[in-house]
Amino acid sequence: MSPPSAPRVRVLLVEDEESFIEALTVGLAHEGFEVDVARDGAEGLARFAARRPDLILLDLMLPKMNGLDVCRTIRETSDVPIIVVSAKGEEVDTVLLLELGADDYVTKPYRLRELVARMRAVLRRREHTVAWVEDEPIQRGPFRLDIDAHRCYVGDREVKLRKKEFALLQLLLENPGRVLTRDVLIDRVWGSDYVGDTKTLDVHIKRLRALLEENPKEPRYITTVRGVGYRFEVNAA
Ligand code: CA
């Protein structure tokens, strides 16, 4: 629990069920959080933009705009910690959720104590991540990305990448060994900027391979997972 002098963590609760709103508003205030409430997805986005909370508790099934779309939209501009709350029995694609940028998820009904523990864990982790991203370049095998300076190196050689190529490579390097689906890559790199046909992603991957792979026709690092997406091979690096 925060000492009385610490600034209160501001939480945006996006939730349409009154019983949860009441219980959480009271419970979280008691735990030292400042709680702001939005009762549908559109209001959630508006209040997020207006208030810039420290953490978002996001229900999935919401009027006007569902939680997935709210999460996706917020991630276009912000790394604010997001914990998704789903109803019991609701089918949730947790992999998609995490790839969309949610930090964690809980299923109703949950204990307040468990939720608060997860909130604190996410906040701690996020503080750590932000500090890490600001200070340290990403290094995987021969590849180094200096995020702040927007520079990419293979060994000692600098490779000039365009903005979207850089973002795409960053996403792959941040998820070594994991398949990133086409939808997730398009969503995270282009978001609503993505126009044209689905070839745009492949064209960018092809260019990355041409710049980074010894033999772009038989890539070792950025491999294709057929019918799914792409993966940065952790073992090749
Ligand atoms: Ca709901």
Side-chain angles (χ1 to χ4, degrees):
M1 218 167 294
S2 316
S5 58
R8 281 150 72 89
V9 173
R10 293 171 308 129
V11 177
L12 173 60
L13 173 62
V14 191
E15 170 66 73
D16 60 322
E17 271 176 71
E18 286 301 330
S19 59
F20 276 95
I21 294 173
E22 262 173 52
L24 278 180
T25 308
V26 173
L28 291 177
H30 185 70
E31 292 286 333
F33 295 96
E34 193 180 306
V35 185
D36 188 26
V37 178
R39 286 177 167 77
D40 64 59
E43 192 192 350
L45 284 183
R47 296 202 77 82
F48 164 72
R51 302 287 303 270
R52 293 283 155 180
D54 301 307
L55 184 146
I56 300 179
L57 290 176
L58 180 61
D59 187 31
L60 273 186
M61 297 287 271
L62 288 165
K64 293 191 185 168
M65 183 190 250
N66 70 42
L68 283 182
D69 288 336
V70 173
C71 184
R72 184 181 287 133
T73 306
I74 287 174
R75 276 291 173 265
E76 286 169 14
T77 60
S78 167
D79 280 329
V80 63
I82 299 176
I83 297 180
V84 165
V85 181
S86 64
K88 193 180 170 188
E90 202 175 299
E91 199 164 308
V92 181
D93 184 342
T94 50
V95 173
L96 172 65
L97 259 185
L98 298 179
E99 285 183 352
L100 270 183
D103 292 87
D104 202 354
Y105 58 91
V106 292
T107 306
K108 294 175 189 169
Y110 47 78
R111 291 168 190 274
L112 181 68
R113 189 179 294 173
E114 185 202 344
L115 179 68
V116 169
R118 283 170 183 250
M119 289 166 68
R120 295 204 195 287
V122 162
L123 286 165
R124 267 199 308 276
R125 208 155 69 214
R126 188 48 67 96
E127 270 170 27
H128 182 73
T129 311
V130 169
W132 182 81
V133 168
E134 280 170 356
D135 295 337
E136 299 278 341
I138 299 174
Q139 177 89 52
R140 299 262 184 266
F143 306 115
R144 187 159 59 91
L145 281 189
D146 186 337
I147 310 297
D148 294 339
H150 206 271
R151 288 172 184 271
C152 170
Y153 300 88
V154 182
D156 294 333
R157 176 172 61 97
E158 183 175 1
V159 176
K160 296 278 182 204
L161 296 182
R162 297 175 189 133
K163 199 174 161 199
K164 298 295 188 197
E165 292 159 358
F166 192 93
L168 190 56
L169 182 61
Q170 183 179 345
L171 204 55
L172 288 162
L173 294 188
E174 282 173 342
N175 294 279
R178 278 174 69 184
V179 185
L180 297 178
T181 65
R182 300 179 59 85
D183 285 350
V184 163
L185 288 168
I186 288 169
D187 205 86
R188 293 293 288 276
V189 174
W190 283 270
S192 51
D193 294 348
Y194 198 87
V195 284
D197 57 28
T198 56
K199 288 274 184 283
T200 304
L201 171 63
D202 307 279
V203 169
H204 280 72
I205 291 281
K206 196 172 171 188
R207 197 175 128 78
L208 278 181
R209 284 172 174 161
L211 291 166
L212 304 176
E213 298 274 358
E214 269 169 51
N215 179 0
K217 294 216 183 307
E218 285 177 37
R220 278 175 63 201
Y221 297 105
I222 303 172
T223 56
T224 304
V225 182
R226 287 191 67 175
V228 185
Y230 296 99
R231 177 170 56 210
F232 180 78
E233 295 295 341
V234 66
N235 293 328

